[in-house]
Amino acid sequence: MTSPAGTLETRDMVFPAHANHHGTLFAGQGLERMARAAFLAARDTAGCDVVMAAVTGVQFCAPVPVGRALALRAWVSRVGRSSLTVCVHGLAQAPGCPDELALQGVFEMVAVNAHGRPTAIAHTYLNTPPHPFRQETP
Amino acid sequence: MTSPAGTLETRDMVFPAHANHHGTLFAGQGLERMARAAFLAARDTAGCDVVMAAVTGVQFCAPVPVGRALALRAWVSRVGRSSLTVCVHGLAQAPGCPDELALQGVFEMVAVNAHGRPTAIAHTYLNTPPHPFRQETP
Amino acid sequence: MTSPAGTLETRDMVFPAHANHHGTLFAGQGLERMARAAFLAARDTAGCDVVMAAVTGVQFCAPVPVGRALALRAWVSRVGRSSLTVCVHGLAQAPGCPDELALQGVFEMVAVNAHGRPTAIAHTYLNTPPHPFRQETP
Amino acid sequence: MTSPAGTLETRDMVFPAHANHHGTLFAGQGLERMARAAFLAARDTAGCDVVMAAVTGVQFCAPVPVGRALALRAWVSRVGRSSLTVCVHGLAQAPGCPDELALQGVFEMVAVNAHGRPTAIAHTYLNTPPHPFRQETP
Amino acid sequence: MTSPAGTLETRDMVFPAHANHHGTLFAGQGLERMARAAFLAARDTAGCDVVMAAVTGVQFCAPVPVGRALALRAWVSRVGRSSLTVCVHGLAQAPGCPDELALQGVFEMVAVNAHGRPTAIAHTYLNTPPHPFRQETP
Amino acid sequence: MTSPAGTLETRDMVFPAHANHHGTLFAGQGLERMARAAFLAARDTAGCDVVMAAVTGVQFCAPVPVGRALALRAWVSRVGRSSLTVCVHGLAQAPGCPDELALQGVFEMVAVNAHGRPTAIAHTYLNTPPHPFRQETP
């Protein structure tokens, strides 16, 4: 679709199947959704398959009640030789309510080849030095 | 996020949990994903809760193997007094492959109030007549 | 079991895992269940594997609250050279309540061989002309 | 639909989501499906809600590979004052293969009222003595 | 981890996704969880893969409301030439409440080789005869 | 069961339903399982309900193929006035293979009252100063 490579927007409802016993999104479900968004954003940029190497940090800012939509925006903030950093923000949305920041996180992904081994990422605007004297930081 | 109200883009991976015994997205899973996208697009435009009244038609154009992403774009094509028509297109995506149209469908949604009864949709650019002499067709 | 080939009856409960935020069966879940029933009815008649080609139409007639059973009846209404039409009706059921028609739909299925390519369906009472002068309509 | 009260037939596919690491139906999934069938058969006969009190026994007779349908037949074999015994048989089915008995089990269910307490089951042909001199065994 | 081979402890929350329409753990979910615990306990002791052959019996002692944790303890009580018996107890747990026995069951498992055929279980302290001069090999 | 409060051991199989398109545990599933273990360990220690406030960090050390068990050990490493830190380690296990460290993470949890507001944690051996002159660091 029209999103630039490396930025992903996705949305899904919070239904009882995703909730804890308080009727709000279970944190583990929030993490799973962020992981899927981070995976897709990284794969787009890398142009090859990726795996998650680490979660740098996630904050849960507000509970998301059943009936809200959770809109996730994931974007690649750094491209190294074979690794990428992806930021994910999540907004809780409902008709007639202002959007509310519900969760945010940073994920480290690694580009892999068909054997699951780390592989170099082809040059993109993020890992191509803009000037011959400036060196890429790995 | 930045999509205009009534247009929704969402993406998710096709994993074995979503597959049939041929290793491709089960049609029922494709319908469930389209239904969620149609729901969100309609709710955005209506500014209130909605329910699905009917599926006008869905075509499955190509199988979506496990490992592909399925990107859905849903947009509201008609807004009546209390009903909306939503179109959904789905593209199968993988690194190094051109996107492939995998499924498309048309859904009829109805705006509902807190009691689940049909309710009028506030005027939008789609259901507001552009000229005093032109009457909205319900 | 004893149902004639091409007619399928199946039933399952509506639990919170299948519900939207109103405590009723989410439409996407209803579609997934109908798709599974249509698949099984078509496979029985075709005598080989099938895939879904299209949804001709689905109507959601009444919400199905959590705690109801959803009984689906699927039957093959047309058999062509390699395609089949399947009708599905769904009734909401609960002790002490009359059954209520909740959803109905029509699905187009295609018989496929081991490579996933369309294949001819062996003659059945539905696609065998009852008289030598009557031609099968494809 | 047309099954007599207390007999239930239901069918569903075995997909990768239901499989163990050998590509066959995970036993726990088989038990969950049998439990749902037993629940529905008992509720039909009791005419009120029921809960599972015990599993008397289950045999797994043959593995069910992904791609098979699992057809379950459940029937009430005994109705006591507030309890019911349900038998469930499961057949693995695939086009061109003879049906194969895959699992069978016996479940004890208890009729409950709105507070979840055991309640008497209204007379049915199974717990009504066919003759005044014959006493029901509880 | 540190549990002796053949004893397994596992715990998981009861969330709405696992509940029936009364807001308590659906019996079928309880059976699925017990089956997974029995599988793991048997595989540990057998030192090879196992399949479930039968459920000898399960009792549901108390409903488990959403919001409780279900703690399962599974242990191997008998090791034969190629079969094992596993007992499973389940406790419902919540802060400030005494643990409550919710379910218990007995399962028969069979050790299988890579082709899914029954295979002999290497000697363990449970299937090695307790002869005074013979030392158990750990 | 016998684990000390604040330490939790849990195990579950990796089945196709939990896998990505490489046949290994999807990272998002790994995060969800760690979140459930962290939740249970924190709730045990706090003696009241808890919510996840943040993920401090998670490392994915090795892929976990379908057919492995994933054993999680979660323990509370810090108890503050109303917050707790939980560490989680995950081992991949299979018969005849040495256990392999697959994932590890640190989670911040907050004790909440019935209204979902932060609440003080009753004194435990972890947040009770061992000496009157030593102050707890929040």
Side-chain angles (χ1 to χ4, degrees):
Chain A
M1 302 199 163
T2 63
S3 300
T7 301
L8 172 116
E9 292 189 3
T10 189
R11 272 204 290 167
D12 208 347
M13 284 298 293
V14 177
F15 279 159
H18 316 118
N20 57 24
H21 51 302
H22 302 299
T24 59
L25 182 72
F26 171 54
Q29 259 286 317
L31 291 173
E32 178 153 4
R33 292 189 184 192
M34 294 175 96
R36 281 186 279 172
F39 175 85
L40 286 165
R43 190 162 88 154
D44 271 10
T45 295
C48 63
D49 230 330
V50 297
V51 296
M52 186 174 289
V55 183
T56 304
V58 173
Q59 283 78 44
F60 295 91
C61 313
V64 186
V66 165
R68 297 286 157 91
L70 180 66
L72 296 179
R73 170 174 281 181
W75 66 95
V76 173
S77 63
R78 183 193 64 86
V79 179
R81 195 150 293 144
S82 64
S83 68
L84 310 92
T85 303
V86 185
C87 300
V88 184
H89 276 205
L91 298 181
Q93 302 179 320
C97 300
D99 291 359
E100 185 181 21
L101 182 66
L103 37 80
Q104 53 188 355
V106 179
F107 299 82
E108 293 299 310
M109 315 296 292
V110 172
V112 293
N113 60 20
H115 307 294
R117 308 300 309 164
T119 190
I121 300 173
H123 279 197
T124 72
Y125 75 96
L126 275 168
N127 68 347
T128 302
H131 190 279
F133 298 117
R134 185 173 166 188
Q135 293 303 310
E136 177 192 4
T137 54
Chain B
M1 304 197 165
T2 62
S3 300
T7 300
L8 172 116
E9 293 189 1
T10 189
R11 272 204 290 170
D12 209 347
M13 283 299 293
V14 177
F15 279 160
H18 317 119
N20 58 25
H21 51 300
H22 302 299
T24 59
L25 182 72
F26 172 54
Q29 258 286 316
L31 291 173
E32 177 153 4
R33 292 188 185 192
M34 295 175 96
R36 281 186 277 171
F39 175 85
L40 286 165
R43 190 162 88 154
D44 271 9
T45 296
C48 63
D49 229 330
V50 296
V51 296
M52 186 174 289
V55 184
T56 305
V58 173
Q59 284 78 45
F60 295 90
C61 312
V64 186
V66 164
R68 297 285 157 92
L70 180 66
L72 296 178
R73 171 174 279 180
W75 67 95
V76 173
S77 62
R78 184 193 63 86
V79 180
R81 194 150 295 144
S82 64
S83 68
L84 310 92
T85 303
V86 185
C87 300
V88 184
H89 274 204
L91 298 182
Q93 301 180 321
C97 300
D99 290 0
E100 185 181 21
L101 182 66
L103 36 80
Q104 53 188 353
V106 179
F107 299 83
E108 293 299 309
M109 314 297 293
V110 172
V112 293
N113 60 20
H115 308 293
R117 308 300 310 163
T119 189
I121 301 173
H123 278 198
T124 71
Y125 75 96
L126 276 167
N127 67 348
T128 302
H131 190 280
F133 298 118
R134 184 173 168 190
Q135 292 302 309
E136 177 191 3
T137 55
Chain C
M1 304 199 163
T2 63
S3 300
T7 299
L8 171 116
E9 293 188 4
T10 189
R11 272 205 288 168
D12 209 347
M13 284 297 294
V14 177
F15 279 159
H18 316 118
N20 58 24
H21 50 301
H22 302 299
T24 59
L25 182 72
F26 171 53
Q29 258 287 316
L31 291 173
E32 178 153 4
R33 293 188 184 194
M34 294 176 95
R36 281 186 277 172
F39 175 84
L40 286 165
R43 192 163 86 154
D44 271 9
T45 296
C48 62
D49 229 331
V50 297
V51 296
M52 185 173 290
V55 183
T56 304
V58 173
Q59 283 79 44
F60 295 90
C61 312
V64 185
V66 164
R68 297 285 156 92
L70 180 66
L72 296 179
R73 171 174 280 181
W75 67 96
V76 173
S77 63
R78 183 194 64 86
V79 180
R81 193 151 296 143
S82 65
S83 68
L84 310 92
T85 303
V86 185
C87 300
V88 184
H89 275 203
L91 298 181
Q93 302 179 321
C97 299
D99 290 359
E100 185 181 20
L101 183 66
L103 37 81
Q104 53 188 353
V106 179
F107 299 83
E108 293 299 309
M109 314 296 292
V110 172
V112 293
N113 60 19
H115 307 294
R117 307 301 309 164
T119 190
I121 301 173
H123 279 196
T124 71
Y125 75 96
L126 275 167
N127 68 348
T128 303
H131 190 280
F133 298 117
R134 183 172 168 192
Q135 293 303 308
E136 176 192 4
T137 55
Chain D
M1 303 196 165
T2 63
S3 301
T7 300
L8 172 116
E9 292 188 4
T10 190
R11 271 204 290 168
D12 209 347
M13 283 299 293
V14 177
F15 279 159
H18 316 118
N20 57 25
H21 51 301
H22 302 299
T24 59
L25 181 72
F26 171 53
Q29 259 286 316
L31 291 172
E32 177 152 4
R33 292 189 184 193
M34 294 176 96
R36 281 185 279 171
F39 174 85
L40 286 165
R43 192 162 88 153
D44 271 9
T45 296
C48 63
D49 229 329
V50 296
V51 296
M52 186 173 290
V55 183
T56 305
V58 173
Q59 283 79 43
F60 295 92
C61 313
V64 186
V66 164
R68 298 285 157 91
L70 180 65
L72 296 178
R73 171 175 280 183
W75 67 96
V76 173
S77 63
R78 184 193 63 87
V79 180
R81 193 150 295 144
S82 65
S83 69
L84 310 93
T85 303
V86 184
C87 300
V88 184
H89 275 203
L91 298 181
Q93 302 180 321
C97 299
D99 289 0
E100 185 181 20
L101 182 67
L103 37 80
Q104 53 188 355
V106 179
F107 299 83
E108 293 299 309
M109 314 297 290
V110 172
V112 292
N113 60 20
H115 307 294
R117 307 301 311 162
T119 190
I121 300 173
H123 279 198
T124 72
Y125 75 96
L126 276 169
N127 67 348
T128 303
H131 190 280
F133 299 117
R134 185 172 167 192
Q135 293 302 311
E136 176 192 5
T137 54
Chain E
M1 304 197 164
T2 62
S3 300
T7 300
L8 171 116
E9 293 190 1
T10 190
R11 271 203 291 168
D12 209 347
M13 283 299 293
V14 177
F15 278 159
H18 316 118
N20 57 24
H21 51 301
H22 301 299
T24 59
L25 182 72
F26 172 53
Q29 259 286 316
L31 292 173
E32 177 153 5
R33 292 188 184 193
M34 295 175 95
R36 281 185 279 172
F39 175 85
L40 286 166
R43 191 162 89 154
D44 271 10
T45 295
C48 64
D49 229 329
V50 296
V51 295
M52 186 174 289
V55 183
T56 304
V58 173
Q59 283 80 44
F60 295 91
C61 313
V64 186
V66 164
R68 297 286 157 91
L70 180 66
L72 295 179
R73 170 174 280 181
W75 66 95
V76 173
S77 62
R78 183 193 64 85
V79 179
R81 190 151 298 142
S82 64
S83 68
L84 310 93
T85 303
V86 185
C87 300
V88 184
H89 275 204
L91 298 181
Q93 302 180 320
C97 299
D99 291 359
E100 186 181 19
L101 182 67
L103 38 79
Q104 51 189 354
V106 179
F107 299 83
E108 294 299 310
M109 314 297 291
V110 171
V112 293
N113 61 19
H115 307 294
R117 307 300 310 163
T119 190
I121 299 173
H123 279 195
T124 72
Y125 74 96
L126 276 168
N127 66 349
T128 303
H131 190 281
F133 300 117
R134 186 171 166 191
Q135 293 302 308
E136 177 191 4
T137 55
Chain F
M1 305 200 162
T2 62
S3 300
T7 300
L8 171 116
E9 292 189 3
T10 189
R11 271 204 290 168
D12 209 347
M13 283 298 293
V14 177
F15 278 159
H18 317 118
N20 57 25
H21 51 300
H22 302 299
T24 59
L25 181 72
F26 172 53
Q29 259 286 317
L31 291 173
E32 178 153 4
R33 292 189 184 192
M34 294 176 95
R36 281 186 278 172
F39 174 85
L40 286 166
R43 193 163 86 153
D44 271 11
T45 296
C48 63
D49 229 329
V50 297
V51 296
M52 186 174 289
V55 183
T56 304
V58 173
Q59 283 78 44
F60 295 91
C61 312
V64 186
V66 164
R68 297 286 156 91
L70 180 66
L72 296 179
R73 170 174 280 180
W75 67 96
V76 173
S77 63
R78 183 193 65 86
V79 180
R81 192 151 295 143
S82 65
S83 68
L84 310 93
T85 303
V86 184
C87 300
V88 184
H89 275 204
L91 297 181
Q93 302 179 321
C97 299
D99 291 359
E100 186 181 19
L101 182 66
L103 38 79
Q104 53 189 353
V106 180
F107 299 83
E108 293 300 309
M109 314 296 292
V110 171
V112 292
N113 60 20
H115 307 294
R117 308 300 310 164
T119 191
I121 301 173
H123 279 197
T124 72
Y125 74 96
L126 277 168
N127 68 348
T128 303
H131 190 280
F133 299 116
R134 183 172 167 192
Q135 292 304 308
E136 177 192 5
T137 54

